[in-house]
Amino acid sequence: MTPMSDIFDPPDRRWVLPGEYPLWEGALVLVNRDLAATLPDREPLRLLALPSWHEERDEDVYVTMPNGEWQGNCLEPDPDDSSADAVAAVAEAAQETVSELLWQAWPVCGEHGMGMHLREEDGHTVWHCGGGRSTGEPAHVRAAVGALDSLVRPHRPNRKSRRQER
Ligand SMILES: [Zn+2]
C-alpha cells in the first residue's frame, strides 16, 4: 500500500485534523453514518484542506472520498452557521462527491430504489424520496441525515417484521 504522504501532489493539501472545523466534522459523522448504512463496503468520507484561491481565507475544505478525490465545491465557512446549516452543507457536498465519483445515485431510498434529495423539514435536514411509480407510493421523507441506519438494519430483536404481521 502506498504511504499516505505519497498520494498527494502538490503536497500542500492535507487532511483536516480533529477539532479544526468542529461543525463540519460533526456533520460528517452523521453523513458517514448514512454512507455506512447504504454503502457498507465504502470507507468513511473525509475533510481535505487545500490552499484557497479565495482572498479572504487561507484554505478551502472539501468533502472527499477516503483517497482524497472529490467532486463539486468547497464548504463555505460562515461564522453564523448553526450545526443544522453545517449538516445541510456537508451532506450536499458528500452527495455530490459520492454520486459523481461512484457514478451512481446516492443515497437511494430503500423502499423505492430512487435517488434521494436533501430538504429542510422542521429545522432538520432530511433525505427526501420522490416516491414510487404508482399513486399509492407518494413522495416522502425517508429519514433525517444521519438516521438512514435506523431503517436498513434488517433484524431488530424487538421489532416484528412485516411478514409476521400478515
Ligand atoms: Zn422512497
Side-chain angles (χ1 to χ4, degrees):
M1 198 176 145
T2 319
M4 200 59 85
S5 56
D6 288 352
I7 292 178
F8 295 138
D9 186 23
D12 46 3
R13 44 176 71 184
R14 63 180 189 86
W15 297 118
V16 166
L17 298 172
E20 285 185 305
Y21 297 95
L23 280 181
W24 290 341
E25 292 163 36
L28 191 61
V29 168
L30 293 177
V31 172
N32 273 330
R33 208 179 283 167
D34 287 344
L35 185 74
T38 50
L39 298 175
D41 295 338
R42 293 285 159 183
E43 296 289 316
L45 304 172
R46 305 184 70 175
L47 296 176
L48 183 72
L50 274 75
S52 179
W53 49 269
H54 296 89
E55 271 181 22
E56 66 275 16
R57 58 179 187 258
D58 292 335
E59 61 184 14
D60 293 327
V61 176
Y62 295 85
V63 177
T64 76
M65 301 298 272
N67 67 0
E69 289 182 325
W70 79 89
Q71 198 61 222
N73 297 325
C74 65
L75 299 169
E76 286 296 327
D78 182 344
D80 297 330
D81 260 5
S82 65
S83 54
D85 296 330
V87 168
V90 170
E92 188 180 355
Q95 182 173 38
E96 184 151 13
T97 286
V98 171
S99 57
E100 292 293 326
L101 293 175
L102 298 183
W103 290 64
Q104 64 184 72
W106 181 83
V108 167
C109 172
E111 263 177 75
H112 301 116
M114 307 279 287
M116 295 188 284
H117 299 281
L118 290 163
R119 271 209 189 173
E120 287 294 317
E121 292 258 339
D122 301 327
H124 294 281
T125 306
V126 299
W127 295 114
H128 187 265
C129 165
R133 290 181 187 198
S134 79
T135 47
E137 300 170 295
H140 63 108
V141 171
R142 180 71 173 154
V145 170
L148 286 180
D149 64 339
S150 64
L151 298 168
V152 294
R153 277 184 204 136
H155 299 296
R156 282 199 169 174
N158 296 327
R159 195 195 268 178
K160 281 186 200 166
S161 79
R162 289 218 170 142
R163 227 170 263 130
Q164 285 168 337
E165 283 167 358
R166 232 184 254 161

